[in-house]
Amino acid sequence: MSTDGSAMPNDGRARQREQTRRTLLRESRRLFATQGYGAVGLSEIVRAAGVTKGALYHHFDSKAALFRAVLEEVQQQVAQTVVATAEAHDDPWTRFTAGCQAFLTAGTDPDVQRIMLVDGPSVLGWNEWRALDEAASARHLAEALTALIEGGMIAPQPVAPLTHLLSGAMNEAALWLAGSANPEDLTDARAALSRMLEALRVR
């Protein structure tokens, strides 16, 4: 703010830049989700966003960089859904299983399927995709498992391998569901996940 209380010109420019960035993310997400990364060109993205290529390059140095930002946004939204679903329950075990089931269900969303599960690993490469996945979802899974082990609900064991095994299983199931046309497969996958998680529980 200036001394007379009015907004500084730089504030307006910063808001405009942020608005341009949000518009680019929104429109590119829509295009990547409906057409796939390989079928979408930068010209189509800037036309849909109503900006110039120069404006796009001000925020992202390539189509891959733009896709990475979209993927991060999708992964963070999935993680937020999982956490919100889990935290709606008071019982630690129910919180854990509800969160895992929420991840599996979130993977049936077409945006999530195409961007996070299908194009994500191929565009960014497996290592970078895994790093983003760990930052978004696997960290919450590790924290939940740690709490259950400390609470005596899961037998004492190293958390890291268990986290990777469960995360890998759920990602693979979500990827399988992404290619399925049978609506009953989600019900079957949720039931199988429930049985697998129950097997970890100390009786």
Side-chain angles (χ1 to χ4, degrees), residues 24 145 199:
L24 282 166
L145 290 169

Side-chain angles (χ1 to χ4, degrees), residues 7-81:
M8 296 289 285
N10 282 345
D11 292 342
R13 283 196 291 270
R15 282 195 298 271
Q16 181 61 43
R17 283 194 296 270
E18 181 56 27
Q19 179 61 42
T20 298
R21 186 178 190 277
R22 285 198 300 266
T23 302
L24 282 166
L25 287 173
R26 183 185 69 244
E27 293 302 321
S28 57
R29 174 173 175 165
R30 178 180 62 81
L31 291 168
F32 289 146
T34 55
Q35 300 181 35
Y37 177 84
V40 178
L42 287 179
S43 296
E44 187 174 3
I45 292 171
V46 297
R47 185 165 58 251
V51 301
T52 64
K53 277 192 177 180
L56 183 149
Y57 283 122
H58 177 77
H59 295 278
F60 307 100
D61 60 15
S62 64
K63 187 173 82 163
L66 175 56
F67 178 83
R68 187 186 193 280
V70 169
L71 173 61
E72 279 187 288
E73 184 177 83
V74 171
Q75 287 181 319
Q76 287 165 6
Q77 288 175 357
V78 169
Q80 288 165 5
T81 298

Side-chain angles (χ1 to χ4, degrees), residues 140-197:
H140 297 298
L141 179 59
E143 290 170 355
L145 290 169
T146 299
L148 290 171
I149 290 171
E150 291 174 350
M153 280 168 274
I154 292 178
Q157 58 189 289
V159 172
L162 184 57
T163 300
H164 283 283
L165 283 166
L166 288 179
S167 179
M170 288 188 287
N171 277 326
E172 177 60 29
L175 186 58
W176 172 66
L177 288 170
S180 168
N182 185 351
E184 294 181 5
D185 284 343
L186 175 60
T187 301
D188 292 342
R190 287 174 61 92
L193 177 59
S194 180
R195 289 190 294 270
M196 185 175 73
L197 297 178

